[in-house]
Amino acid sequence: GAVVSQHPSWVICKSGTSVKIECRSLDFQATTMFWYRQFPKQSLMLMATSNEGSKATYEQGVEKDKFLINHASLTLSTLTVTSAHPEDSSFYICSARDTRYNQPQHFGDGTRLSIL
Amino acid sequence: DAKTTQPTSMDCAEGRAANLPCNHSTISGNEYVYWYRQIHSQGPQYIIHGLKNNETNEMASLIITEDRKSSTLILPHATLRDTAVYYCIATRNTGNQFYFGTGTSLTVIP
């Protein structure tokens, strides 16, 4: 149980395009979802927290107009990297949690984004 | 959330117990200790969490000191597949934001 699916797992696109990453909780309802970024040989960095039906809360230094987060249902959150540039290339990971049942965060397998 | 400190790396012989320490000396009374591991190029995998009592599940045991300032994750019989980076995180259950430290890179040696 507690499976989180992320799609796509790998994407390459040209500089200036926008990229959408989906995060789905497959067998539970995710009242809260989190988005992280991880650069090579570094730890995960929390980007934002989103509660279903509410606007996301972004961590300091993360541009909310650059990284658009939507959490419109209890099973789906999306992260859109707008006008992506090479410095946005990274490993993006989502996690999901049902806060009603004191459940731990469960992570997806990440999306490797490469901007050329 | 309390800062956690872990050794950068550890080795463990296959079949032996792996004991991974974590220091969280500034932990507050309502903060839980969570353990996750990340195998290369995958998302972190939940292992175990606790507040003040020792916990055990099918993957590991978590020993939390009485003053809650440190804890130890125990993998009872390490296998090669346990080679990963292990993260210890202290956070409140409300909100539950995870601020990852650098973790411990565990290498299980045949």
Side-chain angles (χ1 to χ4, degrees):
Chain A
V3 177
V4 176
S5 173
Q6 217 173 309
H7 178 82
S9 56
W10 183 59
V11 59
I12 300 175
C13 60
K14 292 181 179 179
S15 185
T17 59
S18 294
V19 179
K20 181 183 283 189
I21 302 169
E22 292 187 350
C23 179
R24 294 181 185 271
S25 57
L26 298 187
D27 51 2
F28 68 99
Q29 293 184 324
T31 54
T32 303
M33 285 185 164
F34 305 86
W35 287 94
Y36 297 83
R37 181 167 53 181
Q38 185 175 33
F39 292 107
K41 299 191 185 301
Q42 294 186 22
S43 188
L44 285 81
M45 186 190 78
L46 178 66
M47 299 175 68
T49 302
S50 73
N51 294 302
E52 185 263 338
S54 302
K55 288 186 178 180
T57 302
Y58 290 80
E59 294 295 309
Q60 191 171 8
V62 179
E63 300 174 60
K64 62 180 181 181
D65 295 330
K66 174 76 170 176
F67 300 99
L68 301 179
I69 292 171
N70 184 282
H71 187 177
S73 81
L74 283 171
T75 58
L76 173 65
S77 176
T78 60
L79 168 69
T80 301
V81 183
T82 62
S83 187
H85 292 287
E87 59 267 28
D88 298 321
S89 298
S90 189
F91 190 49
Y92 291 87
I93 309 170
C94 72
S95 70
R97 180 174 188 247
D98 189 338
T99 56
R100 297 170 298 181
Y101 301 107
N102 194 21
Q103 188 191 66
Q105 288 187 36
H106 294 281
F107 286 78
D109 271 340
T111 296
R112 190 158 302 282
L113 174 63
S114 295
I115 308 298
L116 303 178
Chain B
D1 294 341
K3 180 181 160 81
T4 60
T5 305
Q6 299 176 253
T8 303
S9 63
M10 292 180 65
D11 292 338
C12 177
E14 187 178 17
R16 303 296 294 268
N19 297 286
L20 293 93
C22 179
N23 181 288
H24 33 79
S25 58
T26 61
I27 196 169
S28 61
N30 62 352
E31 287 184 309
Y32 286 71
V33 178
Y34 284 80
W35 283 85
Y36 283 75
R37 70 182 182 186
Q38 185 178 28
I39 296 168
H40 184 61
S41 294
Q42 296 181 20
Q45 177 190 23
Y46 168 76
I47 301 173
I48 200 166
H49 75 285
L51 183 62
K52 55 182 178 181
N53 297 322
N54 297 337
E55 302 287 346
T56 295
N57 63 20
E58 64 278 5
M59 288 184 69
S61 294
L62 173 61
I63 309 298
I64 302 174
T65 58
E66 194 168 340
D67 63 7
R68 301 188 68 242
K69 292 185 176 181
S70 66
S71 60
T72 301
L73 178 74
I74 301 172
L75 307 177
H77 306 286
T79 71
L80 299 179
R81 285 178 292 184
D82 292 323
T83 292
V85 177
Y86 287 75
Y87 295 101
C88 164
I89 303 153
T91 187
R92 293 171 295 120
N93 250 12
T94 54
N96 201 234
Q97 279 79 8
F98 283 0
Y99 298 100
F100 284 81
T102 52
T104 296
S105 178
L106 174 70
T107 302
V108 179
I109 302 168

